[in-house]
Structure formats: structure tokens, C-alpha cells
């Protein structure tokens, strides 16, 4: 009947406290799991591998709700696979977070009145390592609070020795394969962080600016251009028009005077220009705009840099030394004084790029940088998904992935920082350039020096699935645990991280992708669907909720909202509801233990079981099968909901309640039900464990005497189904539900006893009379019994004597009043909906509201009429 019986010894049950106190349980229990090595992974094991890497949090970070959400999903997957007999590795670690970490330490130095330049590069890097040892990585302790089952002995850091060797190795290989090169190009420059940043680290937002139209040239050779960045006109080296634009054909090839300077610049024809936009003429500043740079390359234009790294004007003249925004106002004023301003529009709302870390406005800047030639790497990353080697879940996210990898520009990987992996390239006194691998000797001697830049943080985190396993060495761990089974991450870093891992994994591991499946989830939002942010005042520290309600409550709430690829709303009320669920599990198990629930010995044959017992075992196996299928499809919300309703509704609210009469009667039936209840709780706790690990382990070990549910077997569907028993109990439930509803309608208190006559002969409900009376508070009929209300339900008849419990006349009067009000509401709604003039003028939402009122009135009339029919005559 079942494959779920456990082979662990059954110890005498320890009495559970009357209430579950998460704060007393979670910390010590987690440390016990770690001490026993449950989360470690053995590369020598002959078990099948199951590998997931943690998206490495920044060393500067702390646990936020996004982390808690993602970690809950990964932990659920790995706990289940561990129980299924897989050699499970959840790889932990942290990212060195170049810009963010350097900023933190520089701020600390600023408090001491110092800068990194006062210390020098070597001493500054030592200071960062010191900070990392003292303050970095607080998130590791917070992950323990959440219950993360990671292999702590394998924890890695992107700047540790092994990963640094991996970074140097792949840089050297890419360089030798001519996939890394150095070139002067336009990059995104942050004047605050003083470094280049990649396209994906730029956040765009609509800002209020100004659009200024200004006149270049003199007399018949004038042309009007418009810009939102007037300060860059000091670096203009051409004006561009479309070659087919008749308005400007007489100017193409001529030189015109650039205002405020002593220079003349050419008018060039280029198909990039849209003749329908603005005046159809654009200023060309190759050193300060990516599109202008491309025009400049096509027309062999010079590139004049007119701003330094702080976005301060360097061009000679009256504007030199001004900040870019100060210069903008000054230049517009100077142009206005010369009569060259044709039009000004303020405010002019337009999309502006900002540094994702410090929110400073980005400045496009011509700069010598290191680049990855992504063409062949991106093609391989796209092909791996197209040919099915890698699955993206949900599948509709594939389009976003292809849109990105099919249109990738070369990746700027150099950063003007001191904290990070330094670029392994040396320059000689005579222009020599040498790339050094980890086994090479760096050149020495007079005039040799290493490149001062470091690599983009995403360069090292792109190696994460294999560098953490010992690559470039061919380790046992690499052979066992690569490729990863699944990557669980947010759709928001599909481009930042996932694409880079795909490119590097396929390149470094001979065409083997880094993971079989990419499971994408959404973002956590507040209960109204709004993005969480400190500036919005709706940001939540998950530790506060864990302190208040327990880690299981937070985890269950997050999992229950996790539909693939969809954002997740969360509110404190929902966490409180999940806390109530944990308490329900606790109280139900405590009741079961007090009433003889056990896992001792095999389950009795089906012939020895009551219909109630067969029903719950049949439903149990159905739920096992359902949960398994949902796990394989990453449907965390649906499987959590299925477990919630099975545990709360079917096990606790129905099976436990239906079994109470059996337990009270004692004897062999009570022993049988005790064994069935033990089985159901055993399996249910194991099913719930991956999502709510703390309360389930405490209860499971108490119930079974086993070592820990962490290493228990995952339940299997035995195939046992009893549809007849399921139909019988469904009928029983409908009878109890209907009578309860009638009692409530008549204003009876839940515990109020009512005399009743049950006519159950010839129905499947006959064996359940004691349970029906117990659950409905129905006492036996006495000699003076008079049926004042008769309910035919489920093929049976329940006759109630309400003469001593309610004032029938008063109840009829109350219901008649309610009925009249409902009929009046219906008439008013019908009158408005029948008025064509009203319908023609009323907004749709008003009409919809009236239709809703009509439907509600119809429901109320039907309900009240039913109640009146069931009442005896007054």
C-alpha cells in the first residue's frame, strides 16, 4: 500500500511543549545539521550528483528579501534532492564586488581624513582585505538564520587564490585566442566612481533636462543643431546630415564655423542621421558620444576629449575648469549672447543613464580599455539554448535571452580601480606587451610595469560554476559536479550574470554548458505589487520578520508566492498567516502524539482500515505525486499551496477530527487509526521539510525517533488509490459542511448542542454516525423530540429540533426583513441597468459595479429563501 515506511528506530515520544517557539529551536538545530555534515558533498560518492551554485552575494551585502526568496527556492530544491538520494552540492561563496567594496573602504578612509592615494595601492588593498576579514560577509551568518543548507567547507571568494588562478588562466587563453584586445573606444564613465562600467551596469531613468537648438556657421552656410548636452559642443568635429536630404546638399563637404571656438568643422553625409527628427542635422562629438564615435570612424574625424575623469571641462578657453553642468549653463548663455540660440525647451524629459551603484549621471567618454570580443562566445551561448542542451524555464523567457546574446556588443572588462583581479598584462620600455598566465614568470627589469586596471567583477563571477570546483585543475569535484544541474536566479540578472557564465563555461569546458536548466524567478515586491525601496519606505529587513514569526514562516510565504518568472508580492499579514500554519502543524502533531500516533510496524492491510483511513492514505499518495510533478516544473507556489491545503484542510481539519471518536472509543480501531495518522504525519512532514525545515525536523524526529528529516527518504507514491473511499468521505464532508452552514445561518453557536435524528440507513454514511454527531454537536433525540427543520443531504436526512435553541418567530421576522432589503436592492439595480440613457452616459466601472450589486442581491435572495424554507412554522 505504501513505500513510505521509514526504517529508523522509533524512540519513545518526547512530549512537545504546548507552543512552538522558533527562536528556541532554529539556531541550535541549524548548528546541529552543520556539525553532522548533512550539507557537505563528497566528490568520491557513487550517488548521482545534483549541483546548484549560490548566486554569490556581494561581500558588502546583507540579507535582503530578494536573497531570502531565492535562497528559499534553492534550499527547497537541494533538500528534496538530498532526501531522494543524490550527492547534493549547494555551492556557497561571495563576490568581491569591486566598485562597491572599494567605495566602502574609501568612505572609511575619508572619516580618517585620508584617501586611497595617501596609502598607495598595496597598502590600500591590504586595508580592503582587513575590512573583509572584520566586517565583510555578514550575510553568511544571516544565511544560517534562514536555514541555507550549503556546503560551508567549500565556501569560496572570487578573490581567493584558486579563483584568482582561474581568472588569470582564462584571461590568458582568451588573449592568446585573440578574443581579448585593448582599444580606444567610447565607454560608460562614472565621474564619481572614476571607472568605466559596462552597459548593463547603467540604469536609465527619465530626467528633466533641456533641449537647446543652436546655429552653427555664418550667412548662407548656417545650420541648426539641437542637443541636451550643450557642453560637449566644444568637442564637435563635424555636423552630419542624411545624404538624401535636399536641404543640406549644398553644405555637404563644406566647412562651417563652430561657435565659441576658433575652429571650422566639416558637414558630412551619413545614413545614421534621421532627416525626420528635429532639423535633420546633428552635431558630431566623437570623443563623447557612442553614435558620434561611429560616425567619426566612418568619416575619419578627429576625436577631441574636452572633459577629464571628473567631468570637468579641459578645453582651452573661458569654460576650462567648470563642472559639466556649470559649463552647460555658461555655454548656453554665451551662445545666447551671440544670438545663436534658436530655441530652448525646459524642462525636456529624456532618458539619462546613471551609475547603478552611486546613481551619478554617466558620461560617455573615449578611453583606452580592455575588451572581450563576444561574437563567437555569444553565438555559442545562443546555440546551447537553441539546440536544447540548456533549458530556460519558463520557456517564454527564451526570447529575452536571445534578444540579448544575439545582439551583444563587445564587453569592456577593464575597471580603473585598485580592488579586484589586476589585468595580467605587462608593458615594456620599448612598447612590448606581454600577457602572463598563472604559470608564467612576469617580466622584470627597468621600464617594465603591469597594467594598472582591474577586471570587471562579472568577469570572475562568470567563471563561478567551474572555478569553485577547482578549475583549471582537473579535480574530482569538477568531474563530479560540473555541469550544474540547475541555475536558480532572477530574470533581472539574465544579462549580467547568466549570459557571461554561458559564454565562459562553453569556452573553458570544451563546449559543455555550465548548467542543464536555467530556472528564472521574479522580483519580490510589497503587497501592492510595488518595488521595494528605502526611498519608497516599503523596504523590509527579512531578519525582522524572522525574529517575529520564525524563519519557516518567512520561507513558506516566499515559496507560496513563487510562480516561475513572475514577481512576488509579500506583506507582513501573509508571514503571520504562515506562522499560524507552522503552529497548526505543531499543535496537530502534538495532538496526534497524545492520541497514539505511531510509525511502529507496517501499515495494516487495506481490508483492516476504515473508509476514513483509506481516504486519507489515498489522498496522501495523490499529493506525493502532485508535489513531485510540481517540483520538476519549478512550480513552488502551486506545490506549497497543495501542501498547505492538504495538511491544514484534509489532515488536520478533517482526518484528525473524524478520528477523534475512534481514539475516544479505544481498542483495535484506535490502534489502526493511530498507525495511519502516524504514517500521514510522517510523510506530510517530509513533504513539507524542504520549505519549512525547522519545525518539520523537530516534529519528525519526535514522531519517528529518527536521526533527522534532513537525511530521511523522500516520500514515494506507492500507487495506492481508493476512489470509493474518497467519494464516501467527500459525501460525509458535504453533509457536515451543509449542516454547519445551516447552524450558522440560524445563529447557533459552534459548541451549542442540538437534538437530532439521523436517517443514514442504506447510505455510505451509516458507519460515520458517531463522527457526524461529534463534529456537528448533535445530541441524541429525546422522547419530546420534534423535528423543526429537516435537511436532506448526501442521500441522508438530518432532522433537527430547534425549538429550544432559537426563537423561530423572531428569526423569521429577521430573515423577512433581510429578504425585503435584498429584493429592493435587486429592483434598483435592474432599473438602472434597464435605463438606456443611463447606460449610454455611465462609465464602464460604474456599470460593472451595479452588475456586481445585482449578482450579490440574487445570491442573498436565494440564500435567505433557503433559510426560510428550512425553518419550522412559527
Amino acid at each position: 500500500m505504501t513505500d513510505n515506511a521509514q526504517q529508523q528506530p522509533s524512540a519513545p515520544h518526547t512530549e512537545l511543549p504546548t507552543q512552538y517557539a522558533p527562536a528556541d529551536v532554529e539556531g541550535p538545530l541549524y548548528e546541529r545539521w552543520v556539525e553532522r555534515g548533512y550539507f557537505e558533498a563528497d566528490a568520491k560518492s557513487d550517488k548521482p550528483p545534483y549541483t546548484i551554485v549560490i548566486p554569490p552575494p556581494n561581500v558588502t551585502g546583507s540579507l535582503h528579501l530578494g536573497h531570502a526568496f531565492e535562497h528559499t527556492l534553492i534550499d527547497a530544491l537541494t533538500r528534496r534532492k538530498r532526501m531522494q538520494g543524490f550527492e547534493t552540492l549547494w555551492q556557497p561563496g561571495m563576490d568581491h564586488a569591486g566598485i562597491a567594496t572599494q567605495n566602502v573602504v574609501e568612505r572609511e578612509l575619508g572619516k580618517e581624513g585620508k584617501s586611497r592615494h595617501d596609502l598607495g595601492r598595496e597598502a590600500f588593498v591590504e586595508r580592503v582585505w582587513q575590512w573583509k576579514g572584520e566586517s565583510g560577509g555578514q550575510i553568511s551568518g544571516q544565511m544560517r538564520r534562514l536555514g541555507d543548507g550549503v556546503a560551508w567547507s567549500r565556501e569560496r571568494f572570487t578573490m581567493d587564490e584558486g579563483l584568482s588562478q582561474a581568472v588569470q588562466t582564462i584571461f590568458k587563453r582568451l588573449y592568446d585566442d585573440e578574443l581579448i584586445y585593448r582599444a580606444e573606444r567610447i565607454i560608460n564613465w562614472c565621474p564619481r566612481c572614476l571607472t568605466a562600467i559596462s552597459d548593463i551596469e547603467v540604469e536609465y531613468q527619465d530626467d528633466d533636462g533641456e533641449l537647446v537648438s543652436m546655429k552653427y556657421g555664418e550667412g548662407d552656410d548656417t545650420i541648426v543643431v539641437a542637443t541636451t548636452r550643450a557642453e560637449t559642443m566644444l568637442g564637435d568635429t563635424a555636423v552630419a546630415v542624411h545624404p538624401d536630404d535636399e536641404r543640406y546638399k549644398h553644405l555637404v563637404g563644406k566647412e562651417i564655423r563652430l561657435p565659441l571656438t576658433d575652429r571650422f568643422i566639416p558637414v558630412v553625409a551619413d545614413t545614421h542621421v534621421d532627416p525626420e527628427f528635429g532639423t535633420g542635422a546633428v552635431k558630431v562629438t566623437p570623443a563623447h558620444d557612442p553614435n558620434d564615435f561611429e560616425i567619426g570612424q566612418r568619416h575619419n574625424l578627429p576625436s577631441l576629449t574636452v572633459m577629464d575623469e571628473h567631468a570637468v571641462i579641459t578645453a582651452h578657453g573661458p569654460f576650462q575648469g567648470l563642472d559639466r553642468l556649470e559649463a552647460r549653463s555658461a555655454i548656453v548663455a554665451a551662445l545666447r549672447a551671440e544670438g545663436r540660440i534658436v530655441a530652448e525647451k525646459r524642462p525636456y524629459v529624456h532618458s539619462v543613464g546613471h551609475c547603478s551603484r552611486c546613481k551619478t549621471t554617466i558620461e560617455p567618454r573615449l578611453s583606452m580599455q580592455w575588451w572581450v570580443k563576444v561574437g563567437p562566445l555569444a553565438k555559442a551561448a545562443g546555440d546551447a539554448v537553441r539546440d536544447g542542451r540548456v533549458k530556460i524555464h519558463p520557456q517564454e523567457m527564451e526570447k529575452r535571452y536571445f534578444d540579448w546574446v544575439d545582439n551583444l556588443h563587445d564587453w569592456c572588462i577593464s575597471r580603473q580601480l585598485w580592488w579586484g583581479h589586476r589585468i595580467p598584462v605587462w608593458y615594456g620600455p620599448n612598447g612590448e606587451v606581454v600577457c602572463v598566465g598563472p604559470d608564467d614568470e612576469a617580466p622584470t627589469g627597468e621600464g617594465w610595469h603591469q597594467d594598472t586596471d582591474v577586471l570587471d567583477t562579472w568577469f570572475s563571477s562568470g567563471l563561478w560554476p567551474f572555478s569553485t570546483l577547482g578549475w583549471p585543475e582537473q579535480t574530482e569535484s569538477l568531474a563530479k559536479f560540473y555541469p550544474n544541474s540547475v541555475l536558480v536566479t532572477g530574470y533581472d540578472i539574465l544579462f549580467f550574470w547568466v549570459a557571461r557564465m554561458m559564454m565562459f563555461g562553453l569556452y573553458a569546458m570544451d563546449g559543455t554548458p555550465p548548467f542543464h536548466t536555467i530556472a528564472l524567478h521574479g522580483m519580490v515586491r510589497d503587497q501592492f505589487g510595488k518595488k521595494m525601496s528605502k526611498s519608497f519606505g516599503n523596504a523590509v529587513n527579512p531578519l525582522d520578520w524572522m525574529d517575529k514569526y520564525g524563519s519557516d514562516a518567512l520561507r513558506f510565504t516566499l515559496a507560496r508566492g513563487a510562480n516561475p518568472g513572475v514577481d512576488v508580492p509579500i506583506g507582513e499579514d501573509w508571514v503571520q498567516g504562515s506562522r499560524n500554519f507552522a503552529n497548526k502543524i505543531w499543535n496537530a502533531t502534538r495532538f496526534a502524539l497524545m492520541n497514539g500516533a505511531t510509525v511502529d510496524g507496517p501499515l495494516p492491510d487495506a481490508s483492516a482500515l476504515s473508509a476514513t483511513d483509506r481516504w486519507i492514505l489515498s489522498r496522501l499518495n495523490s499529493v506525493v505525486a502532485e508535489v513531485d510533478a510540481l517540483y520538476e516544473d519549478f512550480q513552488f507556489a502551486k506545490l506549497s499551496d497543495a501542501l498547505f491545503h492538504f495538511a491544514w484542510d484534509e489532515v488536520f481539519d478533517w482526518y484528525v477530527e473524524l478520528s477523534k471518536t475512534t481514539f475516544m472509543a479505544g481498542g483495535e480501531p484506535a490502534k489502526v487509526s493511530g498507525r495511519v495518522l502516524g504514517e500521514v504525519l510522517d510523510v506530510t512532514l517530509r513533504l513539507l521539510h524542504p520549505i519549512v525545515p525547522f519545525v518539520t525536523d523537530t516534529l519528525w524526529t519526535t514522531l519517528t525517533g529518527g536521526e533527522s528529516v534532513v537525511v530521511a527518504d523522500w516520500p514515494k507514491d506507492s500507487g495506492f488509490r481508493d476512489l470509493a473511499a474518497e467519494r464516501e468521505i467527500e459525501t460525509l464532508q458535504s453533509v457536515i459542511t451543509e449542516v454547519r452552514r445551516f447552524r450558522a445561518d440560524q445563529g447557533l453557536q459552534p459548541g451549542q448542542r442540538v437534538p437530532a435524528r439521523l436517517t443514514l440507513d442504506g447510505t455510505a454514511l451509516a458507519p460515520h454516525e458517531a463522527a457526524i454527531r461529534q463534529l456537528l454537536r448533535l445530541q441524541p433525540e429525546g422522547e419530546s423530540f420534534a423535528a423543526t427543520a429537516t435537511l436532506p443531504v448526501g442521500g441522508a436526512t438530518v432532522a433537527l429540533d430547534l425549538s429550544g435553541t432559537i426563537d423561530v418567530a423572531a428569526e423569521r421576522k429577521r430573515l423577512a426583513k433581510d429578504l425585503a432589503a435584498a429584493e429592493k436592492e435587486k429592483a434598483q439595480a435592474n432599473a438602472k441597468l434597464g435605463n438606456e440613457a443611463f447606460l449610454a452616459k455611465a462609465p464602464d466601472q460604474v456599470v460593472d459595479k451595479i452588475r456586481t450589486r445585482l449578482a450579490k442581491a440574487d445570491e442573498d435572495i436565494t440564500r435567505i429563501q433557503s433559510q426560510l424554507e428550512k425553518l419550522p412554522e412559527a
Side-chain angles (χ1 to χ4, degrees):
M1 182 189 301
T2 179
D3 293 330
N4 293 320
Q6 295 291 288
Q7 300 303 313
Q8 76 286 327
S10 181
H13 296 313
T14 304
E15 185 175 345
L16 289 168
T18 55
Q19 289 185 321
Y20 176 49
D24 297 337
V25 170
E26 293 175 352
L29 183 54
Y30 184 85
E31 291 309 314
R32 188 153 65 245
W33 292 337
V34 173
E35 288 165 7
R36 292 177 177 176
Y38 291 157
F39 306 138
E40 296 303 322
D42 182 4
K44 294 183 170 64
S45 166
D46 58 3
K47 295 178 182 178
Y50 187 80
T51 316
I52 296 182
V53 294
I54 190 173
N58 288 351
V59 67
T60 57
S62 59
L63 191 75
H64 56 62
L65 268 179
H67 289 130
F69 173 55
E70 185 168 81
H71 291 200
T72 294
L73 305 187
I74 299 175
D75 198 38
L77 291 174
T78 52
R79 284 179 183 270
R80 172 174 173 261
K81 286 295 181 180
R82 190 177 294 113
M83 295 171 75
Q84 287 181 314
F86 286 78
E87 193 62 37
T88 302
L89 169 60
W90 183 10
Q91 173 67 52
M94 286 185 294
D95 192 285
H96 66 278
I99 295 177
T101 306
Q102 179 158 318
N103 283 346
V104 167
V105 178
E106 287 198 81
R107 280 197 296 272
E108 287 197 350
L109 286 174
K111 296 174 185 176
E112 302 169 14
K114 298 178 182 177
S115 74
R116 61 182 163 120
H117 300 286
D118 294 324
L119 272 65
R121 183 168 195 143
E122 187 175 338
F124 176 76
V125 171
E126 286 181 10
R127 178 70 177 259
V128 180
W129 277 108
Q130 179 186 343
W131 175 88
K132 190 256 181 188
E134 294 172 356
S135 306
Q138 62 173 312
I139 196 171
S140 295
Q142 295 165 347
M143 287 164 58
R144 292 171 181 263
R145 283 285 315 278
L146 189 64
D148 286 4
V150 299
W152 286 113
S153 69
R154 292 172 171 265
E155 187 174 14
R156 303 305 296 269
F157 180 54
T158 50
M159 285 284 286
D160 68 26
E161 184 178 352
L163 270 68
S164 295
Q165 183 184 18
V167 168
Q168 196 172 353
T169 298
I170 201 162
F171 187 100
K172 171 70 171 170
R173 291 188 186 179
L174 289 163
Y175 181 88
D176 290 346
D177 286 344
E178 298 183 349
L179 292 172
I180 282 184
Y181 63 94
R182 191 169 186 245
E184 189 175 45
R185 290 187 174 183
I186 292 284
I187 47 89
N188 302 299
W189 181 264
C190 177
R192 160 63 184 80
C193 298
L194 296 180
T195 182
I197 63 173
S198 65
D199 291 344
I200 52 179
E201 293 170 300
V202 178
E203 293 180 350
Y204 288 90
Q205 67 184 48
D206 288 340
D207 286 357
D208 285 346
E210 61 181 359
L211 181 66
V212 178
S213 298
M214 48 198 181
K215 184 167 58 176
Y216 286 11
E218 308 291 348
D220 293 337
D221 293 343
T222 59
I223 194 167
V224 175
V225 298
T227 183
T228 58
R229 300 166 66 219
E231 68 278 9
T232 63
M233 61 88 61
L234 300 174
D236 286 358
T237 55
V239 171
V241 298
H242 194 277
D244 297 332
D245 195 331
E246 294 293 336
R247 294 171 293 176
Y248 303 117
K249 280 200 171 181
H250 68 290
L251 290 177
V252 173
K254 286 188 176 183
E255 289 195 338
I256 60 175
R257 181 173 175 271
L258 180 66
L260 307 182
T261 72
D262 294 325
R263 293 191 292 113
F264 281 79
I265 59 176
V267 177
V268 300
D270 195 282
T271 54
H272 170 76
V273 179
D274 180 1
E276 303 298 323
F277 183 77
T279 64
V282 297
K283 57 192 287 298
V284 181
T285 321
H288 293 279
D289 184 275
N291 292 321
D292 293 3
F293 177 79
E294 298 296 331
I295 294 174
Q297 293 291 101
R298 288 193 289 273
H299 297 276
N300 213 18
L301 299 173
S303 296
L304 302 182
T305 299
V306 296
M307 272 182 265
D308 66 12
E309 64 270 23
H310 297 280
V312 171
I313 300 298
T314 58
H316 293 297
F319 312 108
Q320 187 174 4
L322 294 180
D323 171 79
R324 56 182 165 169
L325 298 182
E326 295 172 334
R328 182 176 300 171
S329 299
I331 286 170
V332 170
L335 289 168
R336 190 183 298 112
E338 287 192 4
R340 291 188 174 272
I341 297 297
V342 176
E344 297 178 72
K345 185 176 181 180
R346 296 188 186 88
Y348 178 73
V349 179
H350 61 133
S351 181
V352 178
H354 296 259
C355 174
S356 62
R357 289 176 176 82
C358 71
K359 311 309 176 188
T360 300
T361 300
I362 290 301
E363 191 62 47
R365 187 166 189 258
L366 186 63
S367 180
M368 183 67 75
Q369 301 286 344
W370 286 94
W371 304 81
V372 172
K373 186 185 296 182
V374 300
L377 301 174
K379 182 181 184 302
D383 289 345
V385 174
R386 286 188 169 96
D387 64 25
R389 281 175 289 158
V390 178
K391 305 287 187 187
I392 293 181
H393 190 279
Q395 190 174 0
E396 53 265 28
M397 287 285 180
E398 281 186 3
K399 184 180 184 302
R400 296 181 67 171
Y401 176 78
F402 292 136
D403 286 346
W404 180 255
V405 297
D406 293 347
N407 297 286
L408 269 179
H409 297 120
D410 284 0
W411 172 19
C412 178
I413 55 172
S414 45
R415 299 291 181 267
Q416 290 64 55
L417 305 171
W418 286 357
W419 173 244
H421 296 101
R422 195 164 173 182
I423 288 175
V425 172
W426 271 254
Y427 305 104
N430 299 312
E432 302 95 333
V433 179
V434 177
C435 181
V436 176
D439 299 324
D440 300 333
E441 289 289 333
T444 56
E446 187 176 349
W448 282 92
H449 64 280
Q450 187 178 358
D451 196 300
T452 57
D453 288 351
V454 301
L455 287 163
D456 178 10
T457 298
W458 296 103
F459 190 94
S460 51
S461 58
L463 315 181
W464 193 247
F466 51 94
S467 63
T468 52
L469 298 173
W471 187 90
E473 302 299 323
Q474 296 304 306
T475 63
E476 286 182 319
S477 290
L478 188 64
K480 178 75 174 179
F481 296 113
Y482 187 93
N484 287 190
S485 306
V486 62
L487 174 75
V488 178
T489 192
Y491 63 70
D492 57 315
I493 58 172
L494 182 62
F495 319 127
F496 285 83
W497 189 43
V498 179
R500 276 129 173 70
M501 286 190 290
M502 286 285 282
M503 290 191 295
F504 282 166
L506 289 159
Y507 174 80
M509 300 300 293
D510 300 319
T512 302
F515 18 74
H516 297 302
T517 302
I518 302 167
L520 298 171
H521 59 72
M523 312 291 289
V524 179
R525 297 181 177 271
D526 70 13
Q527 66 265 42
F528 306 109
K530 191 175 182 180
K531 181 180 177 181
M532 285 193 172
S533 166
K534 289 181 181 178
S535 61
F536 295 156
N538 63 350
V540 173
N541 183 346
L543 296 172
D544 292 341
W545 281 352
M546 287 192 279
D547 288 342
K548 195 170 182 180
Y549 303 111
S551 298
D552 285 332
L554 176 63
R555 289 171 61 117
F556 192 73
T557 304
L558 291 166
R560 205 171 175 194
N563 291 295
V566 178
D567 288 345
V568 182
I570 184 172
E572 185 168 0
D573 288 351
W574 305 343
V575 185
Q576 186 174 350
S578 295
R579 188 271 314 273
N580 295 344
F581 179 51
N583 288 342
K584 184 80 170 181
I585 302 169
W586 182 274
N587 293 333
T589 305
R590 187 168 175 271
F591 167 84
L593 292 173
M594 293 168 60
N595 285 274
T598 179
V599 296
D600 292 337
L603 278 172
D605 290 336
S607 59
L609 300 177
S610 69
T612 308
D613 294 333
R614 296 195 307 277
W615 160 72
I616 198 63
L617 291 173
S618 180
R619 287 292 305 127
L620 178 69
N621 278 287
S622 294
V623 169
V624 170
E626 180 183 6
V627 168
D628 271 333
L630 292 170
Y631 260 117
E632 295 304 314
D633 199 35
F634 305 102
Q635 297 283 356
F636 296 98
K638 290 181 179 178
L639 71 89
S640 299
D641 214 45
L643 286 170
F644 173 87
H645 287 294
F646 175 71
W648 191 306
D649 300 345
E650 298 187 74
V651 179
F652 306 148
D653 278 359
W654 282 109
Y655 182 73
V656 168
E657 292 299 318
L658 289 170
S659 300
K660 282 182 178 179
T661 53
T662 306
F663 289 135
M664 287 189 290
E668 188 60 27
K671 290 181 181 178
V672 170
S673 289
R675 178 64 189 90
V676 170
L677 180 54
E679 178 76 8
V680 172
L681 286 174
D682 168 21
V683 174
T684 302
L685 291 170
R686 282 186 279 148
L687 289 173
L688 283 164
H689 172 72
I691 297 173
V692 284
F694 294 106
V695 68
T696 51
D697 195 44
T698 304
L699 294 174
W700 188 87
T701 52
T702 304
L703 171 70
T704 67
E707 179 186 345
S708 172
V709 73
V710 177
V711 290
D713 292 337
W714 181 252
K716 295 178 181 177
D717 173 16
S718 70
F720 173 76
R721 302 289 190 279
D722 191 327
L723 298 183
E726 289 192 32
R727 286 193 296 269
E728 182 175 326
I729 301 306
E730 286 171 8
T731 302
L732 175 61
Q733 290 171 331
S734 68
V735 170
I736 292 171
T737 300
E738 181 64 25
V739 177
R740 279 177 173 166
R741 184 181 296 116
F742 176 77
R743 287 177 55 110
D745 288 344
Q746 305 311 314
L748 297 177
Q749 296 300 312
Q752 189 172 351
R753 293 198 165 273
V754 177
R757 177 187 297 142
L758 305 184
T759 307
L760 308 175
D761 293 343
T763 74
L765 299 176
H768 302 288
E769 179 168 355
I772 292 171
R773 287 189 176 277
Q774 171 65 24
L775 292 176
L776 291 173
R777 304 295 190 267
L778 303 179
Q779 63 191 39
E781 56 188 287
E783 291 183 5
S784 60
F785 178 84
T788 59
T790 302
L791 307 176
V793 284
T797 302
V798 179
L800 304 174
D801 182 354
L802 304 178
S803 57
T805 56
I806 62 172
D807 184 335
V808 176
E811 185 64 15
R812 277 192 170 278
K813 185 176 180 180
R814 182 185 70 81
L815 289 173
K817 183 178 179 181
D818 290 347
L819 180 61
E823 288 173 336
K824 181 180 179 181
E825 175 74 4
K826 178 179 180 178
Q828 290 174 340
N830 274 327
K832 287 187 176 181
L833 294 174
N835 185 335
E836 293 297 333
F838 170 78
L839 292 176
K841 295 179 181 178
D844 289 346
Q845 60 266 32
V846 172
V847 176
D848 288 342
K849 189 174 181 180
I850 294 171
R851 289 196 177 108
T852 301
R853 283 169 48 197
L854 176 61
K856 175 68 166 54
D858 277 333
E859 289 177 10
D860 288 345
I861 290 168
T862 301
R863 175 180 55 80
I864 296 167
Q865 287 175 339
S866 175
Q867 290 174 237
L868 283 167
E869 289 170 3
K870 292 171 184 175
L871 276 176
E873 292 299 323

